[in-house]
Amino acid sequence: MYGERSDFENLAKGEAQLMIGRMLPVLQEIRCFVTRSQEVAKNLITQLDILYGQEKVAQSIVVKDVHFLTVFEALGNLFTFQVILDEVIENSGLLNEHWTLYRSIIRSVHKSEQFNFDEKKTKSF
């Protein structure tokens, strides 16, 4: 878990930014997972709407004997996992504090003309 050390008051200057910088690959993986799971959920709901909707396409598909319990359970588990993940990240005060410090460093580097900085690479931050 992020920030399990007990001596955060004694961090050297810039150590918080380094800690969050080391965490970036994990945060990127989480972001990719959440984005992909949102796309899958949207696609699934769209397909269910087509199956059960009042459209003419839905009238030509017989879904009388189709059971979607497994699909609904998986979708529920996915939403549960996303809520838990959101709560863990939202309630991690240290992670949010370090993220704010890291973003301020990135913004100052971005504004500085001293660095050859590509704006497109940090768009997602």
Side-chain angles (χ1 to χ4, degrees):
M1 194 71 171
Y2 184 81
E4 290 185 354
R5 276 186 17 201
S6 61
D7 58 342
F8 289 108
E9 293 80 29
N10 301 328
L11 286 178
K13 185 176 181 180
E15 183 67 25
Q17 292 86 343
L18 288 174
M19 286 176 62
I20 197 73
R22 290 184 202 111
M23 187 73 171
L24 283 179
V26 174
L27 295 174
Q28 182 65 31
E29 284 184 40
I30 291 171
R31 180 174 182 240
C32 289
F33 171 78
V34 168
T35 301
R36 178 68 180 141
S37 62
Q38 288 173 340
E39 291 170 358
V40 168
K42 182 180 175 184
N43 188 327
L44 177 63
I45 291 169
T46 301
Q47 290 180 27
L48 289 173
D49 181 49
I50 289 171
L51 286 175
Y52 290 109
Q54 300 299 321
E55 305 279 328
K56 291 185 180 188
V57 174
Q59 294 173 0
S60 65
I61 301 172
V62 179
V63 292
K64 181 178 172 183
D65 295 324
V66 177
H67 302 283
F68 290 105
L69 181 60
T70 305
V71 173
F72 290 137
E73 285 176 350
L75 191 60
N77 289 338
L78 180 66
F79 290 151
T80 301
F81 185 75
Q82 283 191 342
V83 167
I84 291 170
L85 191 59
D86 187 49
E87 285 296 316
V88 166
I89 291 174
E90 184 69 29
N91 291 323
S92 176
L94 189 63
L95 179 67
N96 290 324
E97 180 183 328
H98 289 180
W99 181 251
T100 302
L101 292 171
Y102 184 81
R103 282 183 27 201
S104 68
I105 291 287
I106 294 296
R107 283 188 192 128
S108 65
V109 168
H110 177 72
K111 291 178 183 177
S112 174
E113 294 190 16
Q114 178 182 359
F115 303 97
N116 186 11
F117 196 73
D118 187 9
E119 182 178 338
K120 294 176 185 176
K121 290 182 179 179
T122 60
K123 194 76 167 172
S124 62
F125 290 123

